[in-house]
């Protein structure tokens, strides 16, 4: 912005998509409340939370987060939540190749039906379960790169990379 320091207040609609059980709701709970619930219940329909972060240039970004339900029976509802979203966070579980395939399905769906300028992030969650890893980190990196997405591995359990995920998204907003 030509070196002019003009703090802005942005409001951003963000949708989380991904297979049931990959940890979408746990990621949101960690980001918004700093907590982890090992007994997290499956999401029904979708749930809404918001959280504001401040960037270094004193811009604030208010994320309006739609945490969708990953169970197949709710798949038809997804367009209600990703339509008009500025950001889509597609989550898989690094211990589950099936969830990685499902993530790729959601990316294609977003490419077909999402906003043309949508910012997309690919997230490999449960990075604390290294001994059970079945999706190599390089597979996530490669897929994200081919599809113009930001990629990160996170753990909602340990909080690893959760704030970084949202900060990196904020930096990539148009
Ligand atoms: P749906 O609402 O059905 O779409 O599932 P979801 O993606 O919201 O999954 P949820 O956040 O409810 O997490 C499912 C379970 O995975 C939780 O009860 C946790 O036990 C576990 N879990 C979530 N995140 C992590 C993580 O980072 N590490 C580990 N080890 N377990 C996690
Ligand atoms: Mg959920």
């Amino acid at each position: 912005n030509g070196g002019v320091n003009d703090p802005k207040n942005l409001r951003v609609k963000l949708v989380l998509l991904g297979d049931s059980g990959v940890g979408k709701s746990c990621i949101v709970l960690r980001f918004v409340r700093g907590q982890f619930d090992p007994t997290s219940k499956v999401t029904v329909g979708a749930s809404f939370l918001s959280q504001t972060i401040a960037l270094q240039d004193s811009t604030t970004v208010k994320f309006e987060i739609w945490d969708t339900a990953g169970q197949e029976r709710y798949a038809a509802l997804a367009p209600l939540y990703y339509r008009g979203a500025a950001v889509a966070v597609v989550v898989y579980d690094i211990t589950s190749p099936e969830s990685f395939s499902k993530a790729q399905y959601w990316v294609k769906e977003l490419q077909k039906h999402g906003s043309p300028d949508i910012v997309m992030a690919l997230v490999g969650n449960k990075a604390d379960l290294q001994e059970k890893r079945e999706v190599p980190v390089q597979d996530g990196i490669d897929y994200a790169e081919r599809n113009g997405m930001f990629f990160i591995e996170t753990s909602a359990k340990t909080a690893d990379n959760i704030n970084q995920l949202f900060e990196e998204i904020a930096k990539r907003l148009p």
Side-chain angles (χ1 to χ4, degrees):
N1 58 3
V4 181
N5 186 13
D6 60 340
K8 290 168 290 185
N9 301 301
L10 304 175
R11 241 180 42 168
V12 174
K13 180 180 169 185
L14 180 152
V15 64
L16 281 121
L17 295 162
D19 216 350
S20 183
V22 297
K24 298 179 298 297
S25 298
C26 288
I27 289 170
V28 176
L29 188 70
R30 174 61 80 184
F31 175 54
V32 174
R33 300 223 186 92
Q35 297 168 352
F36 176 69
D37 177 6
T39 66
S40 179
K41 303 288 179 298
V42 302
T43 303
V44 173
S47 81
F48 178 82
L49 282 136
S50 74
Q51 173 73 318
T52 302
I53 63 169
L55 303 183
Q56 301 225 313
D57 63 354
S58 69
T59 296
T60 66
V61 180
K62 181 181 186 187
F63 287 108
E64 299 177 334
I65 303 169
W66 286 100
D67 171 23
T68 65
Q71 288 187 335
E72 196 55 43
R73 73 183 79 161
Y74 301 112
L77 297 177
L80 297 175
Y81 302 104
Y82 68 64
R83 196 174 297 142
V87 178
V89 175
V90 179
V91 184
Y92 66 93
D93 168 352
I94 68 156
T95 73
S96 163
E98 298 73 30
S99 76
F100 187 55
S101 299
K102 194 62 188 271
Q104 296 175 25
Y105 161 83
W106 284 118
V107 171
K108 289 182 197 112
E109 178 95 358
L110 288 161
Q111 287 168 341
K112 272 185 266 173
H113 305 295
S115 307
D117 54 354
I118 195 164
V119 172
M120 289 199 282
L122 181 65
V123 174
N125 189 44
K126 308 197 186 183
D128 56 290
L129 299 178
Q130 286 301 328
E131 70 286 358
K132 292 188 182 163
R133 176 190 288 276
E134 289 197 36
V135 183
V137 64
Q138 196 62 44
D139 289 10
I141 292 170
D142 290 345
Y143 185 79
E145 180 163 354
R146 283 201 302 278
N147 290 278
M149 305 171 78
F150 167 67
F151 175 73
I152 196 167
E153 286 193 349
T154 59
S155 170
K157 183 175 180 180
T158 67
D160 199 34
N161 276 345
I162 297 293
N163 288 338
Q164 286 84 342
L165 164 63
F166 290 90
E167 285 162 13
E168 290 298 328
I169 288 167
K171 287 186 204 163
R172 285 168 172 76
L173 296 172

